[in-house]
Amino acid sequence: MAGQDFESRVLGELRELKDRIAKLEDRAESIARAFSRLRHQGRRVWLRPPLWTFEQYAPRPLNFGSPRPDEKKIPADPPSIAIVTPSFNHAEYLSATIDSVLMQNYPRLSYLVQDGGSADGSIDILRSYGPRLIWRSGRDDGQAQAINHAFAVCEGEVMAYLNSDDLLLPGTLAYVAGVFHNRPEIDVIYGNRVFVDRNGLDIGRAVLPRHDAKALYWADYVPQETLFWRRRVWEAVGPFDESFHYALDWDFILRAQHAGFKFRRVPRFLACFRVHDQQKTAVNYDQGREEMQRLRSRYLGHEPTHAEVMRKMMPYLFRQLAVHWAYRCRILRI
């Protein structure tokens, strides 16, 4: 509640900046349209909100300093956490992902890497961890199936999956355990994300406002790599639907929300989303769009146009813009 009250107070302080931000956005959009006409023969380029803008500034070292003492403290009776990493031919990033989990030093962690039969050196990397890491390798029919197979043998009271090119930030598991330990009524949590490039350099950040159940039916704004849920959610609505290859996390989130489970956005950076040419988000966009429209049709009763989606999302996106600039201007401390 304290976090929500602080957020409301910050939003109140930002009202005076609302007109200035709007003018700056209008000016930037006008410049972007003019530039687009010159470079792309009249094609219009929309300015994306910070939530979906990966490259926000020049690459810089990823540095958050040490977690605060209250964030590092693990509860006396911590919940067990199960994390799985589905991986296929991601040897370039795999070690960094695994290290980001193992270096959490969480006492009740069950971690499994489910490899899809990689042929790029991933197996040698997995073997190099010896008894510190549990892993399996074999062909599968996609990411959802790999995650389901892994969770069939990876047990924990709290669950999450981390893709093999993403990273957990230091202290994340201790913080997550504290939230679930102190708030037994909360079922699902997620937090803020950092965008990193292929070299692991910080290129952008997404600071999120509080959870908006209505907006979530129109677009998936939840950073998957920051998502954690209680096993009771999985037992009620899981496993992942293996017919989805792009929007599997959004489908799972919507099923959990539709079933009445309680969500909370926590005010902390929890993980990093890696931006690179071969990531699923970039390569499979057409398939992703079809899957997203399938989910919108299921929950909204029709397939909305892009303009309708953006119109319905505007209240949430404005709040996200407000907290983003509050963070960038150091009004909001995270």
Side-chain angles (χ1 to χ4, degrees):
M1 293 300 295
Q4 293 181 4
D5 292 340
F6 178 74
E7 180 180 313
S8 298
R9 191 162 61 250
V10 168
L11 291 177
E13 294 173 359
L14 285 173
R15 287 174 183 171
E16 294 181 0
L17 295 176
K18 178 179 177 181
D19 290 341
R20 183 181 301 177
I21 291 173
K23 290 178 181 178
L24 288 172
E25 289 293 301
D26 289 341
R27 184 179 301 173
E29 188 174 26
S30 297
I31 293 172
R33 285 199 297 266
F35 182 80
S36 178
R37 285 194 294 270
L38 291 173
R39 291 287 301 275
H40 302 287
Q41 299 179 344
R43 285 190 302 164
R44 193 174 190 179
V45 177
W46 292 94
L47 294 178
R48 292 177 296 177
L51 178 65
W52 295 311
T53 303
F54 299 157
E55 300 181 31
Q56 299 173 10
Y57 37 75
R60 63 193 188 193
L62 182 63
N63 183 14
F64 280 88
S66 299
R68 296 192 300 266
D70 60 316
E71 294 180 338
K72 293 190 296 182
K73 186 177 180 180
I74 297 174
D77 184 20
S80 57
I81 298 179
I83 299 179
V84 302
T85 289
S87 182
F88 181 67
N89 288 337
H90 263 176
E92 183 177 359
Y93 312 114
L94 184 57
S95 290
T97 298
I98 294 171
D99 290 344
S100 78
V101 177
L102 296 182
M103 292 176 67
Q104 300 282 318
N105 294 318
Y106 189 76
R108 300 190 65 196
L109 173 65
S110 178
Y111 181 45
L112 187 151
V113 177
Q114 183 77 30
D115 179 78
S118 297
D120 66 342
S122 292
I123 303 304
D124 291 335
I125 291 173
L126 294 171
R127 286 184 180 135
S128 72
Y129 283 88
R132 293 189 297 149
L133 179 68
I134 301 172
W135 60 276
R136 304 190 304 182
S137 183
R139 295 181 63 87
D140 55 56
D141 290 330
Q143 184 181 23
Q145 186 178 89
I147 295 170
N148 288 340
H149 284 174
F151 275 135
V153 298
C154 193
E155 298 183 354
E157 302 165 63
V158 175
M159 305 171 70
Y161 77 91
L162 183 70
N163 287 325
S164 54
D165 48 1
D166 295 334
L167 306 165
L168 290 184
L169 286 168
T172 287
L173 295 189
Y175 180 87
V176 166
V179 173
F180 280 119
H181 181 269
N182 296 327
R183 299 294 301 274
E185 78 281 8
I186 300 295
D187 301 298
V188 183
I189 69 170
Y190 60 92
N192 302 321
R193 78 184 339 175
V194 182
F195 300 113
V196 297
D197 66 10
R198 63 182 303 163
N199 298 313
L201 296 175
D202 181 351
I203 57 173
R205 301 187 181 192
V207 180
L208 297 151
R210 63 182 178 274
H211 185 72
D212 186 329
K214 291 182 179 179
L216 191 59
Y217 286 113
W218 293 91
D220 182 13
Y221 57 78
V222 174
Q224 174 275 313
E225 70 281 3
T226 74
L227 181 70
F228 292 81
W229 64 91
R230 294 187 190 273
R231 180 164 290 274
R232 66 192 180 212
V233 178
W234 178 266
E235 293 173 347
V237 307
F240 284 98
D241 186 335
E242 296 177 10
S243 70
F244 287 94
H245 296 279
Y246 178 98
L248 64 155
D249 55 315
W250 192 22
D251 168 65
F252 179 79
I253 290 167
L254 288 176
R255 283 189 281 137
Q257 180 172 275
H258 201 66
F261 288 105
K262 189 169 183 179
F263 283 65
R264 181 176 176 83
R265 185 276 302 145
V266 296
R268 188 188 191 275
F269 288 100
L270 297 180
C272 301
F273 177 80
R274 193 184 297 271
V275 180
H276 59 92
D277 293 340
Q278 296 304 312
Q279 67 187 166
K280 182 182 66 174
T281 307
V283 175
N284 299 331
Y285 181 77
D286 289 338
Q287 180 182 13
R289 187 177 184 281
E290 182 277 325
E291 291 183 5
M292 290 187 290
Q293 286 294 73
R294 194 197 328 169
L295 288 172
R296 292 184 180 114
S297 180
R298 178 189 301 173
Y299 290 99
L300 301 175
H302 70 288
E303 292 190 6
T305 64
H306 176 72
E308 185 181 3
V309 172
M310 293 304 295
R311 186 169 63 253
K312 294 293 187 179
M313 286 295 295
M314 282 307 295
Y316 179 84
L317 293 178
F318 175 75
R319 291 194 296 274
Q320 197 271 318
L321 183 67
V323 295
H324 170 84
W325 282 107
Y327 173 73
R328 291 289 295 271
C329 296
R330 300 187 178 183
I331 299 171
L332 176 62
R333 302 284 183 175
I334 296 177

